[in-house]
Structures are given as structure tokens and as C-alpha cells.
Amino acid sequence: MHPAARPLRRTPRRVAMISVHTSPLDQPGTGDAGGMNVAIAEVSRRLAARGTQVEVFTRATSGDQPAQAELAPGVLVHHVVAGPFEGLPKEDLPGQLCAMTAGVLRREAARREGWYDLVHSHYWLSGQVGWLAKERWGVPLVHTMHTMGRVKNRALAPDDSPEPELRIIGEQQVVDAADRLVANTEAERAELIELYDADPALVDVVLPGVDLEAFHGRDRAQARAALGYRPDERVVCFVGRIQPLKAPDVLVRAAAELRTLDPALAARTRLVFCGGPSGTGTARPTALVDLARSLDVPATFHPALDREALRRQYAAADVVAVPSHSESFGLVAVEAQACGTPVLAADVGGLPVAVADGRSGMLVAGHEPGTWARALARVLGDDALRARLAAGARPHAETLSWDHTVEGLLGSYAAALAAPRDALARVG
């Protein structure tokens, strides 16, 4: 059957989810795995529970990976061989997009005609693959950027490398090809329109969520005791990939400045970092440890943690800090608040949505260490303020759930499925 003749559907039976550079099976917080992995896994599970089967296509990174694995009932992850399994950084993946696309198309060719109703691609590399799959299969393409090169370059961390023009061009092509674009926040929607000339009528805002059952702070005292934190100790936790974009160095420098502002408070303050080097941070993987040592800042470093261990760190902390230079949303901030922990976050990107300023945490303008030191002193030094923010943290997180995310996503899918197949008209 010619794709244009297919019956109109508003809810897809099967979605091809494309995530070239990172898999929803990967551990968030190391390599290229982060909030995008969490989002794909969470929405895929919930889409499947509502009757939409999901097949995720990602690049194989180990010869030990099976050709396909079940993430959850109704969710399959396909590992596509495209280039060497290991040692290939994300920046070199554009050279493997042809191989990745061939693997995706080959897998679909083994199915009966019309197997997928829709393609949903994540990040610009996946959008390039999704663009070709859309044209070949005659189905709509929904795309989520997650991060954008032009946005990152406008807020570049000191001494960080700008995103290359190759990425900017590739992103523009994906924006032009997509039937619908999904933005995490209104701010991201505005950036798509301003920086990529996206059609406002085709950009939907769908807020990410949090697993409210997995993340909670019901055993805060036990969590602190298990992690060895003293009752009088003030714990500041950073969770994420260790790279300049996430600005963990700002937190270390702020802790050093805190000694001048409030020596007694600084002596009771401990920084805890959870995550591994990533991106440009891999060029100097010990840079953050070296910085903390050189400034004599007490800090504990953990690798990326599984969900339960991460929950304990959130629950045990007095505050979670998210000092990123750029952040499309900030899932870490919402997870922390779900555990009843207030958040100090940079006033950038989607963080003003993820954090309710003055109610569940505080937004910090800029990345100057002195400014962050004053913010730390205010929250850590005022028990009443911290208790009030902690009391508002969980209620704010409860306004953001993955079930709401899936509702919005299904609305975007319905709009894409209902639209005329302009691409087919162009190539037909």
C-alpha cells in the first residue's frame, strides 16, 4: 500500500525511536549518557503500557551486546553495528551515519510493509537518520533536540571548545525536515524559532518528568547515616557528567570562596560529586579532582551511580547544585526535589522551570564563584530557609511526571500523523 493511502491514525501502533550516540540501557552520568537516556527509557515504558510498541535504534558499542534487548514489555532496543565498537567519540559519529541509517532501514525491510507509523529521533545525529527513514517509509518524523549547538555556543564555558559548524548545519537540516519538533520548555521553543527559524505551529512544548516512586526522601536520616555524614555536616551534591558545560568547577571555586564569607560554615561543608568525565572533560579527566586538591576544598568523588544509590545521595544532601552553563531542562534538579532536597541552579535554559525559585530552591544568576559562594552561604547557613525550600521541593516535583510527558508526546504524535505528507508530495 502506498503510504499516502494508509488509514489515518491518531495514536501510533509502533514507533521507531532513534538514539544514535547513547542507549537508554546505558548508565546515566558517564560517557554521553545523561538525561536523554532517562527520558527515552521512561517515555518508552509508558508508551508501551498504553499500547504503543517502541523500538529503539542505537549504535552498538560492544561486541558483547545482543542484536536486540528488551528494555520493558513492548520496548525493544536494537544495537546497530556502525563503525568500531569502542573508542569512537561522539564528535566522530557523523562519519557513521550512513552505516547507522543502513542498519535501521535493513531492520525495517525485514518487517511487513507499514510496520512503523512514526519516527521519533533524539539529538541531531539521530535526526539525520530519522530524516532518511521518514522519506523511505513515508511516515512522519517527530524530533527532540535535547541540546542545540547554537545555544551551547552562546553560553560556552571558559576554555571549552565551541560546537562545530557541521553540527549547526546538521541541526538546521533536521529542523527543516521534521514534521513536529518537541521542546522541553517554552524557552527551548523560543530558541528553536529564533535560532533555527522553526515554524512556530510545528513546535510543541512537552515538559519532562520524574519517577516519583523511585525518587523519594522517606529515609533521609538513615541515608545520611549510611553514607557517613555527620549531623552537623552540610552536604552539597553535584550529579552529572564531569565536563565544562556542567560547570562543576564553579562549585569547587565557590566552596573555596565560602571560607572567606563564613569560615565556620565552610569547615562543616562537604562537596559530593557523582558522575564521570564526558565530552571535552575527557581531555583532562582528573581536572576537577586536581582543582579541589589545589584549593584545599573537601570533596568526595563517586562514579555514576545506579538509581537507588543516587536516590540515597539526593536524600542525604542538604542541597543539590546544578551550576550548568546550558541546560535544556535539568532532570537532576527534579529528581533531587522529588527526594525532598532543595536545589541551587543556574538561571539558564529550562532550569527556571525545573526549579521553583524561592519555593523549592534558588536560581543563581551567572557563574561567578563569589556569587555562588553567597548563594551557598545563604541556603546552608539558614536552617529555616532550607527547611522551607525542602518542604516545597517534593510538591513542585509532583507537578512534573512522566505520565504527563507521555500525554503531551501522544498529542504531538497525533498532530504529526494528521498532517498531510508533504515530504511524499515532494519526492513522489
Side-chain angles (χ1 to χ4, degrees):
M1 185 192 311
H2 190 279
R6 291 176 185 164
L8 178 65
R9 297 185 61 85
R10 292 303 181 108
T11 301
R13 297 162 301 180
R14 299 182 189 87
V15 170
M17 199 85 73
I18 301 179
S19 178
V20 171
H21 76 281
T22 182
S23 168
L25 298 174
D26 291 343
Q27 170 65 55
T30 190
D32 292 315
M36 183 175 125
N37 302 65
V38 175
I40 293 173
E42 295 288 355
V43 300
S44 295
R45 288 189 185 99
R46 286 163 177 78
L47 284 170
R50 296 183 60 155
T52 295
Q53 296 180 40
V54 178
E55 297 186 33
V56 183
F57 292 87
T58 189
R59 194 180 76 87
T61 55
S62 168
D64 296 331
Q65 290 173 319
Q68 68 180 39
E70 185 181 64
L71 173 67
V75 183
L76 287 178
V77 177
H78 299 287
H79 297 110
V80 179
V81 177
F85 290 128
E86 299 173 351
L88 193 66
K90 182 170 65 175
E91 293 72 23
D92 291 341
L93 288 182
Q96 301 302 323
L97 291 181
C98 182
M100 184 73 196
T101 303
V104 172
L105 297 182
R106 188 178 303 117
R107 190 65 60 94
E108 186 271 346
R111 307 288 198 181
R112 67 173 183 268
E113 186 178 0
W115 184 258
Y116 301 111
D117 295 310
L118 181 141
V119 179
H120 187 174
S121 55
H122 297 263
Y123 194 70
W124 78 274
L125 293 169
S126 304
Q128 292 281 316
V129 177
W131 175 18
L132 294 177
K134 153 198 163 121
E135 299 283 355
R136 173 66 181 85
W137 301 339
V139 300
L141 171 65
V142 175
H143 181 73
T144 304
M145 295 292 273
H146 293 281
T147 64
M148 292 177 272
R150 284 183 172 134
V151 173
K152 290 178 72 172
N153 286 348
R154 288 201 307 186
L156 205 62
D159 301 321
D160 202 3
S161 302
E163 294 298 311
E165 188 63 19
L166 172 68
R167 173 178 177 176
I168 307 301
I169 293 170
E171 288 177 336
Q172 187 64 64
Q173 290 172 326
V174 173
V175 168
D176 293 342
D179 294 274
R180 306 293 298 189
L181 293 163
V182 175
N184 285 329
T185 63
E186 288 288 351
E188 186 179 350
R189 181 179 186 273
E191 289 165 345
L192 280 164
I193 294 167
E194 174 194 353
L195 301 178
Y196 293 87
D197 198 29
D199 183 345
L202 300 181
V203 186
D204 302 316
V205 175
V206 180
L207 296 178
V210 63
D211 187 332
L212 295 166
E213 290 298 318
F215 292 100
H216 60 83
R218 292 190 287 270
D219 57 351
R220 174 177 167 78
Q222 294 96 316
R224 285 183 70 90
L227 293 170
Y229 300 154
R230 302 187 312 271
D232 68 329
E233 198 168 23
R234 295 290 171 258
V235 178
V236 181
C237 186
F238 171 97
V239 174
R241 289 165 287 162
I242 306 301
Q243 61 182 77
L245 176 71
K246 302 293 185 179
D249 62 297
V250 170
L251 201 54
V252 174
R253 297 181 194 280
E257 296 258 358
L258 186 62
R259 288 197 295 261
T260 302
L261 287 177
D262 191 332
L265 179 61
R268 294 189 294 126
T269 299
R270 181 201 299 214
L271 301 185
V272 176
F273 293 91
C274 305
S278 174
T280 55
T282 57
R284 295 178 57 211
T286 66
L288 191 66
V289 176
D290 296 340
L291 178 65
R293 185 179 295 118
S294 69
L295 296 176
D296 196 25
V297 170
T300 303
F301 296 88
H302 299 285
L305 302 175
D306 63 35
R307 180 175 283 199
E308 178 53 27
L310 183 58
R311 185 202 65 78
R312 284 196 299 270
Q313 289 287 352
Y314 284 141
D318 292 282
V319 66
V320 168
V322 187
S324 306
H325 289 278
S326 177
E327 199 72 63
S328 63
F329 184 67
L331 287 181
V332 163
V334 186
E335 291 173 351
Q337 290 167 99
C339 295
T341 303
V343 174
L344 275 183
D347 190 4
V348 300
L351 286 170
V353 177
V355 178
D357 189 27
R359 291 188 290 114
S360 67
M362 291 171 50
L363 297 175
V364 182
H367 296 84
E368 200 274 319
T371 303
W372 276 82
R374 289 188 290 275
L376 285 172
R378 183 181 175 194
V379 174
L380 297 179
D382 188 334
D383 293 347
L385 171 62
R386 199 169 59 257
R388 178 169 61 80
L389 295 176
R394 176 75 184 191
H396 178 63
E398 288 174 348
T399 68
L400 300 163
S401 76
W402 289 118
D403 289 332
H404 291 155
T405 304
V406 168
E407 285 287 345
L409 204 53
L410 286 171
S412 292
Y413 289 175
L417 289 165
R421 297 273 63 80
D422 293 337
L424 289 177
R426 289 198 301 272
V427 299

